[in-house]
Amino acid sequence: MKLSTQKRTAILQAAKEAFLSQGFRSTSMDQVAELAQVSKRTVYNHFENKEALFRAVSVGLCAQAKTLPVIYCPHASLHEQLLEIAHQEVKVLTSKPYVAAFRALLVESFELPGIAEQIASEIPDDDSLKDWITAAAKDGQLNCPDTKQATTHFYTLIKGVFFWPVIIGFGTAPKGKERQRYLENTIAMFLGYYSAKD
Amino acid sequence: MKLSTQKRTAILQAAKEAFLSQGFRSTSMDQVAELAQVSKRTVYNHFENKEALFRAVSVGLCAQAKTLPVIYCPHASLHEQLLEIAHQEVKVLTSKPYVAAFRALLVESFELPGIAEQIASEIPDDDSLKDWITAAAKDGQLNCPDTKQATTHFYTLIKGVFFWPVIIGFGTAPKGKERQRYLENTIAMFLGYYSAKD
DNA sequence: CAAAAAGTAAACTGTACAGTGTAGTTTACT
DNA sequence: AGTAAACTACACTGTACAGTTTACTTTTTG
């Protein structure tokens, strides 16, 4: 592997660690260079400036965060399937790297408006839940003319408890039995409204 | 009014404006002093350092953000009452000062961990929704053994659509007809699960 | 193997800003 | 009027950090 590429990778890796553990502002380019075992000038040879480096790191981070798609299965219970999806989602949303990345990005998007859009535009959407709901609706198992709203309801109910409190650093996501209980009740409410019983 | 108190007020007002419009880091103490028409030294005579000034501003901000309490009324429709509560809540959550204050605080809490708790400890809780739900449950109109969870469900469903997207600057809160539609559907789902029909 | 490309260390520039020190002035109270 | 507290202007210290320059070395490539 070319030396130049090795250095580039080292810089990205170092920047990722630094940004995630300390945030954008508190990370200096000197730090990144030292951590990457690279001269500062080399950092600037690969990335025009600090912001460009941050963008590159962010794109890499976002690309990682994907849930396993859960395929709609006409013969299994809706409740069980949604539970599986929910657990998947919670796992990703509460994972250390995801939370750290989201926070770092959030702070930056406050100070550099437009950066979020820039990064988002480079990342494909994750539509696995929406696809599942659409499939279930088509199969006649769900009664929701507005799949977008149903998707929103579902995500919202999960994120409100497992994601946002963690992001803002106010409390932690419920675990174990409590998590299970919340998810079951929530899915019961969701299906109470959306499942096609009649 | 004592001059000293006037100056203090002017400093707080200036700092509030500056912090809300630019955030903590991008606001310099020189700016605050100039905006308050006060010498920099005076700022430091009133507030030990920048962080102390920020805390003082934040406490003031948080104390403002209150929804009007909606009293549970046994004879009115649950749906109507919840709709009223929801509209109240959305109005506060999407108001410019609330959003700006929340953002500023959020960023700071990332960089100065513990500051959120410090500020929160000086602000009384807003329990009006929880009180309403508890009253309705006692009255036998709602069937929810776990009022805390029901409160969470309700807030979560509102914030997920009207608050968090605005905070992270990704999209805006629905307005007018769309807002009404979302709130009605959401309350229908909520009541479908929690209202005591049997 | 020689030129071009990329890397290195270290000193340097320029700027921004928190916080302090000082000497002199204004205000409030007796 | 006299005094203490609070205010002012402004220069100053110290630090942090983005980004550049320089003179030199190593790696890649034709």
Side-chain angles (χ1 to χ4, degrees):
Chain A
M1 192 197 223
K2 266 183 18 182
L3 181 69
S4 176
T5 322
Q6 275 174 38
K7 298 285 172 179
R8 192 172 213 278
T9 315
I11 292 166
L12 279 170
Q13 176 59 32
K16 181 171 136 190
E17 280 172 39
F19 284 146
L20 288 190
S21 65
Q22 319 170 31
F24 178 77
R25 292 204 86 124
S26 311
T27 299
S28 76
M29 295 298 260
D30 291 273
Q31 261 175 72
V32 172
E34 195 186 332
L35 197 58
Q37 308 234 60
V38 140
S39 82
K40 190 178 175 183
R41 204 58 188 80
T42 299
V43 177
Y44 278 97
N45 285 341
H46 283 284
F47 302 94
E48 198 185 340
N49 52 37
K50 199 179 174 184
E51 198 186 317
L53 178 56
F54 182 77
R55 270 202 307 274
V57 168
S58 302
V59 169
L61 280 170
C62 295
Q64 284 179 3
K66 285 260 157 292
T67 50
L68 305 180
V70 176
I71 310 292
Y72 172 70
C73 168
H75 308 303
S77 110
L78 294 181
H79 188 95
E80 290 303 322
Q81 289 182 68
L82 281 176
L83 208 52
E84 173 63 21
I85 293 176
H87 274 294
Q88 287 274 342
E89 200 66 41
V90 170
K91 207 168 152 190
V92 171
L93 289 176
T94 57
S95 71
K96 254 213 171 88
Y98 192 87
V99 169
F102 192 92
R103 279 180 165 215
L105 260 162
L106 190 57
V107 173
E108 275 340 284
S109 76
F110 291 166
E111 293 179 1
L112 314 169
I115 201 172
E117 281 80 357
Q118 259 180 70
I119 293 167
S121 70
E122 302 203 38
I123 310 296
D125 287 359
D126 179 358
D127 283 336
S128 62
L129 174 62
K130 200 177 174 202
D131 293 345
W132 188 94
I133 289 178
T134 309
K138 254 194 190 128
D139 191 39
Q141 293 284 93
L142 283 188
N143 172 29
C144 58
D146 187 346
T147 52
K148 201 179 135 209
Q149 187 185 73
T151 309
T152 302
H153 271 153
F154 194 83
Y155 272 133
T156 284
L157 285 164
I158 289 181
K159 288 190 180 170
V161 167
F162 296 99
F163 186 57
W164 297 117
V166 178
I167 287 295
I168 67 174
F170 234 69
T172 50
K175 298 210 166 194
K177 248 186 124 48
E178 212 189 327
R179 167 182 301 187
Q180 184 71 21
R181 201 181 123 262
Y182 178 82
L183 288 179
E184 280 177 358
N185 288 343
T186 299
I187 290 170
M189 177 165 80
F190 181 84
L191 286 176
Y193 187 61
Y194 285 113
S195 81
K197 286 176 206 146
D198 36 10
Chain B
M1 192 198 225
K2 268 192 3 192
L3 180 70
S4 176
T5 321
Q6 274 174 38
K7 297 285 173 180
R8 192 173 212 277
T9 314
I11 292 166
L12 280 171
Q13 176 59 32
K16 180 171 136 190
E17 279 173 39
F19 285 145
L20 288 189
S21 66
Q22 319 172 31
F24 178 77
R25 292 204 87 125
S26 311
T27 299
S28 75
M29 293 299 260
D30 291 273
Q31 260 176 72
V32 172
E34 196 185 332
L35 196 59
Q37 307 235 58
V38 141
S39 81
K40 190 178 175 181
R41 210 63 186 79
T42 300
V43 176
Y44 279 98
N45 286 342
H46 282 285
F47 302 94
E48 198 185 341
N49 52 36
K50 199 179 172 184
E51 198 186 316
L53 176 56
F54 182 77
R55 270 203 307 276
V57 169
S58 301
V59 169
L61 279 171
C62 294
Q64 284 180 3
K66 286 260 157 292
T67 50
L68 305 181
V70 177
I71 309 293
Y72 172 71
C73 167
H75 307 303
S77 113
L78 294 181
H79 188 95
E80 288 304 322
Q81 288 183 69
L82 281 175
L83 208 52
E84 173 62 23
I85 293 176
H87 273 294
Q88 288 274 343
E89 199 67 39
V90 170
K91 208 168 151 190
V92 171
L93 289 175
T94 57
S95 71
K96 255 214 171 86
Y98 192 87
V99 169
F102 193 92
R103 279 179 164 215
L105 259 161
L106 190 57
V107 173
E108 275 341 284
S109 76
F110 291 166
E111 294 178 2
L112 314 168
I115 202 173
E117 282 80 356
Q118 259 179 69
I119 293 167
S121 70
E122 302 201 38
I123 310 296
D125 288 358
D126 179 357
D127 283 335
S128 62
L129 174 62
K130 200 176 175 200
D131 294 345
W132 187 93
I133 289 178
T134 308
K138 255 194 189 124
D139 191 37
Q141 293 283 93
L142 284 188
N143 172 30
C144 60
D146 187 345
T147 52
K148 200 178 135 211
Q149 188 185 73
T151 309
T152 302
H153 271 154
F154 194 84
Y155 272 133
T156 283
L157 284 164
I158 288 181
K159 288 190 180 170
V161 167
F162 296 100
F163 186 56
W164 298 117
V166 178
I167 286 296
I168 67 174
F170 234 68
T172 50
K175 299 208 166 195
K177 249 188 122 49
E178 212 189 327
R179 168 182 301 187
Q180 183 72 19
R181 202 182 122 261
Y182 179 82
L183 289 179
E184 279 177 358
N185 289 343
T186 299
I187 290 169
M189 175 165 81
F190 181 85
L191 286 177
Y193 187 62
Y194 285 114
S195 82
K197 287 175 206 148
D198 37 11

